[in-house]
Amino acid sequence: MNVIEIKGITKDYGDFKLDNVSFSIPEGSVCGFIGQNGAGKTTTIKAILDIIKVDAGEVLVFGKDVAKDGAVIREDIGVVFDEMGFHEFMTGKDINIMMKNIYKNWKEEVFFDYLKKFSLPSRKPCGEFSRGMRMKLQIAVALSHDAKLLIMDEPTSGLDPIVRNEMIQIFREYVVEEDHSMLLSSHITGDLEKLADEVVFINQGKIFLAGNKDEILEKHGILKCRKDDLKKISEALIVNYDVEAYGVSVLVNDRDACRKLYPDMVIEPANLEEIMLYYVR
């Protein structure tokens, strides 16, 4: 079963267009949604949450159409955005009172347990929190109403490495449950390599690559060759290349085929960031 199915959604703003976007996320998986700033990640997430109305296409969450059943669906979704959505004068105690009146499944004890676990004061205005504390507060809220799906938009952006690793561990603990799924939008590909099962790459409002993370990493590679040897490589295998001072680095889309065809050339593994950069260029 797919926890999210996006079928050909389009949203045209004039100067930016989400163009026929389609992908799905299996239940129980972590999907890394990858793209540079302005690629269309946040617009897609807003469409999934029914915050914006699409011009065409369909979004299903838990098998239900968000345009028809959005209120019911949101009960089972936890959301963490890049910016905190609470008034800065609100304390943890204030947020608890508000959330009790929003979510039917809100669990007060769980929320305050998370505040303790994350070392967040319950009586201090959240406007005085650091960025890392604000992210943890949003996560505490997201995890305190039995959410089956977490949707997070750049939750680790701007955080120091120690806090980022701490948050990744929190996410890992969440997805231990088989019916828990996660869509994690980020341009920090290193975080997604540690956590994601699936990846979806978006650029200029279009999906250009999607699938199992390990399979994508296994398939792609960086081939090193001399400038004169570039013309020997089949164009069907080349995604893009960089001409450097002492040769050429080529992102290829079939590492095994290249090993067989060009045994004298060096082929190295590619990481998610390299794959994104070569495709985008």
Side-chain angles (χ1 to χ4, degrees):
M1 175 183 170
N2 291 323
V3 68
I4 295 177
E5 289 185 61
I6 298 176
K7 303 178 180 180
I9 62 171
T10 297
K11 180 68 177 180
D12 193 347
Y13 289 102
D15 58 346
F16 174 80
K17 182 179 181 181
L18 205 61
D19 192 1
N20 194 31
V21 167
S22 298
F23 64 90
S24 60
I25 302 174
E27 184 181 39
S29 67
V30 178
C31 179
F33 196 25
I34 301 173
Q36 59 188 330
N37 293 332
K41 301 189 301 296
T42 300
T43 305
T44 303
I45 286 173
K46 287 181 177 179
I48 294 171
L49 296 171
D50 200 34
I51 294 172
I52 61 170
K53 301 296 181 183
V54 297
D55 301 326
E58 185 180 34
V59 179
L60 302 178
V61 179
F62 308 121
K64 297 182 174 118
D65 188 336
V66 297
K68 298 175 183 175
D69 300 304
V72 175
I73 291 168
R74 281 192 289 273
E75 282 286 330
D76 290 322
I77 298 177
V79 180
V80 177
F81 281 115
D82 184 28
E83 294 297 330
M84 185 177 63
F86 304 115
H87 292 295
E88 296 199 346
F89 61 80
M90 296 185 75
T91 66
K93 288 183 176 292
D94 296 329
I95 291 167
N96 174 64
I97 293 169
M98 180 175 70
M99 290 299 159
K100 280 199 290 188
N101 292 290
I102 293 176
Y103 290 109
K104 295 176 183 176
N105 294 328
W106 181 256
K107 290 183 167 51
E108 182 174 321
E109 288 185 12
V110 172
F111 175 65
F112 284 111
D113 282 345
Y114 271 118
L115 293 188
K116 289 179 183 176
K117 181 178 180 179
F118 297 161
S119 300
L120 298 175
S122 61
R123 298 177 182 273
K124 185 177 181 179
C126 61
E128 298 177 19
F129 286 6
S130 68
R131 176 169 172 76
M133 292 170 71
R134 292 181 183 207
M135 289 293 108
K136 289 179 186 177
L137 176 61
Q138 289 193 76
I139 292 169
V141 171
L143 296 177
S144 297
H145 60 94
D146 281 342
K148 299 296 187 293
L149 170 65
L150 283 189
I151 296 180
M152 290 172 287
D153 191 12
E154 301 282 1
T156 60
S157 177
L159 301 179
D160 66 66
I162 294 173
V163 176
R164 275 169 45 208
N165 280 329
E166 187 179 353
M167 291 181 67
I168 287 169
Q169 185 57 41
I170 293 165
F171 301 154
R172 281 186 177 138
E173 291 173 5
Y174 170 79
V175 295
V176 166
E177 299 290 334
E178 289 185 3
D179 62 343
H180 285 178
S181 311
M182 188 182 303
L183 174 63
L184 176 57
S185 157
S186 182
H187 64 276
I188 304 174
T189 54
D191 292 346
L192 299 180
E193 288 207 28
K194 298 174 185 175
L195 193 64
D197 306 301
E198 307 284 318
V199 290
V200 176
F201 293 82
I202 188 169
N203 186 51
Q204 295 181 351
K206 295 182 179 181
I207 304 297
F208 62 85
L209 191 64
N212 179 270
K213 179 198 70 179
D214 291 337
E215 290 177 3
I216 288 173
L217 290 173
E218 183 65 30
K219 193 174 181 182
H220 290 80
I222 304 289
L223 184 148
K224 305 282 189 176
C225 67
R226 295 176 300 181
K227 295 175 186 178
D228 292 342
D229 290 332
L230 181 60
K231 59 182 179 291
K232 297 178 184 177
I233 303 169
S234 168
E235 289 187 9
L237 295 171
I238 298 175
V239 174
N240 213 329
Y241 61 88
D242 264 341
V243 177
E244 299 162 344
Y246 299 102
V248 182
S249 293
V250 185
L251 180 71
V252 294
N253 55 28
D254 192 332
R255 202 161 67 190
D256 288 340
C258 286
R259 282 198 189 99
K260 294 173 184 175
L261 290 169
Y262 317 112
D264 296 332
M265 298 183 189
V266 175
I267 303 174
E268 300 173 349
N271 59 40
L272 291 179
E273 181 173 353
E274 289 170 328
I275 291 170
M276 179 183 74
L277 291 174
Y278 274 92
Y279 270 99
V280 166
R281 284 204 300 268

